[in-house]
Amino acid sequence: MKELAHLFENNRRWAERMQASDPDFFARLSRQQRPEYLWIGCSDSRVPANEIIDLPPGTVFVHRNIANVVHPTDLNLLSVLQYAVEVLQVKHVIVCGHYGCGGVQAALEEQNHGLIDHWLQGIRNIYRDEADKFRNLKDEKARIDRLCELNVRAQVVNVANTPIVQNAWKAGQKLAIHGWIYDLNNGLLQDLQVGIRPPGERLQP
Ligand code: CO
């Protein structure tokens, strides 16, 4: 008996359904991908990129990690970003956080979590640097959710500050960075209005 047979069975049925609705679908995608979007999101299993924006394979280039963090030295993320911007020429980079993020919550806790504490250090710094924004939030959930929003904003800035994006903008490439947040309670996305566009195109912040 095949291990995880139900997953292979799911896959076979899915491939059949896709083929039936669009007979050329796989043949077309196997020739090339032309995604317009790079999605930088959280690894949380409840926030699957393609599904929540209801787009099929071939439309979204995806990078996910715990708490959708953009470290300027993360070779994995930078490689994805470079390929997406320079080769695929995506038009939009979407940094998408989500309320109730376990990574953000861990950054607020006193206890040690091991390696993940290093990963989350930047989020703890945001909490410390923007302490005034939390002073009136007594409820822990409200504090976590506010930090989820501020984290998205900070990671949008980190994407915009990479030499990859700076060079693309200098070369005149149309590339917008967006900051969104997803609500696990109702499945809805919200634009946090913290996006950054190329210099000279800053009418919409
Ligand atoms: Co998360």
Side-chain angles (χ1 to χ4, degrees):
M1 166 115 177
K2 209 177 201 173
E3 264 194 289
L4 300 176
H6 62 295
L7 298 186
F8 286 90
E9 185 53 29
N10 282 1
N11 166 253
R12 196 184 54 72
R13 277 199 303 263
W14 171 78
E16 276 172 10
R17 269 200 318 275
M18 297 301 281
Q19 188 91 36
S21 66
D22 180 357
D24 191 37
F25 182 74
F26 291 112
R28 201 171 58 240
L29 278 189
S30 70
R31 286 193 292 273
Q32 65 170 340
Q33 59 166 340
R34 282 224 173 278
E36 287 196 5
Y37 314 99
L38 166 62
W39 176 278
I40 298 174
C42 183
S43 296
D44 192 304
S45 65
R46 298 165 295 181
V47 196
N50 282 68
E51 273 177 84
I52 64 178
I53 46 177
D54 201 15
L55 286 180
T59 51
V60 193
F61 206 60
V62 175
H63 179 89
R64 290 167 69 186
N65 62 43
I66 291 176
N68 40 275
V69 173
V70 178
H71 281 288
T73 55
D74 177 358
L75 282 181
N76 183 348
L77 180 137
L78 292 174
S79 303
V80 169
L81 181 65
Q82 183 183 14
Y83 191 77
V85 170
E86 293 180 10
V87 180
L88 298 173
Q89 304 254 317
V90 297
K91 297 186 173 67
H92 304 273
V93 178
I94 298 160
V95 176
C96 185
H98 66 102
Y99 290 124
C101 182
V104 171
Q105 180 177 351
L108 277 174
E109 291 168 355
E110 292 290 322
Q111 76 203 71
N112 288 338
H113 306 88
L115 181 63
I116 190 74
D117 288 330
H118 296 272
W119 182 254
L120 299 173
Q121 190 175 327
I123 303 182
R124 273 198 306 281
N125 292 346
I126 298 169
Y127 185 63
R128 189 196 56 212
D129 294 345
E130 312 227 33
D132 55 310
K133 296 199 168 72
F134 295 88
R135 215 153 273 145
N136 295 325
L137 300 176
K138 300 287 175 238
D139 176 48
E140 195 203 0
K141 186 184 173 311
R143 279 205 302 277
I144 294 168
D145 286 349
R146 186 73 183 112
L147 190 52
C148 289
E149 294 173 347
L150 293 173
N151 179 44
V152 168
R153 190 182 69 178
Q155 307 314 333
V156 164
V157 171
N158 286 345
V159 172
N161 283 340
T162 60
I164 297 163
V165 169
Q166 291 292 319
N167 289 340
W169 282 344
K170 271 189 209 126
Q173 198 170 326
K174 299 269 185 247
L175 174 69
I177 325 287
H178 309 266
W180 296 357
I181 198 145
Y182 175 77
D183 192 333
L184 296 170
N185 292 303
N186 58 17
L188 294 178
L189 284 167
Q190 186 191 329
D191 187 337
L192 289 172
Q193 305 292 332
V194 294
I196 303 178
R197 285 169 181 275
E201 223 194 283
R202 287 194 186 276
L203 289 175
Q204 188 195 331

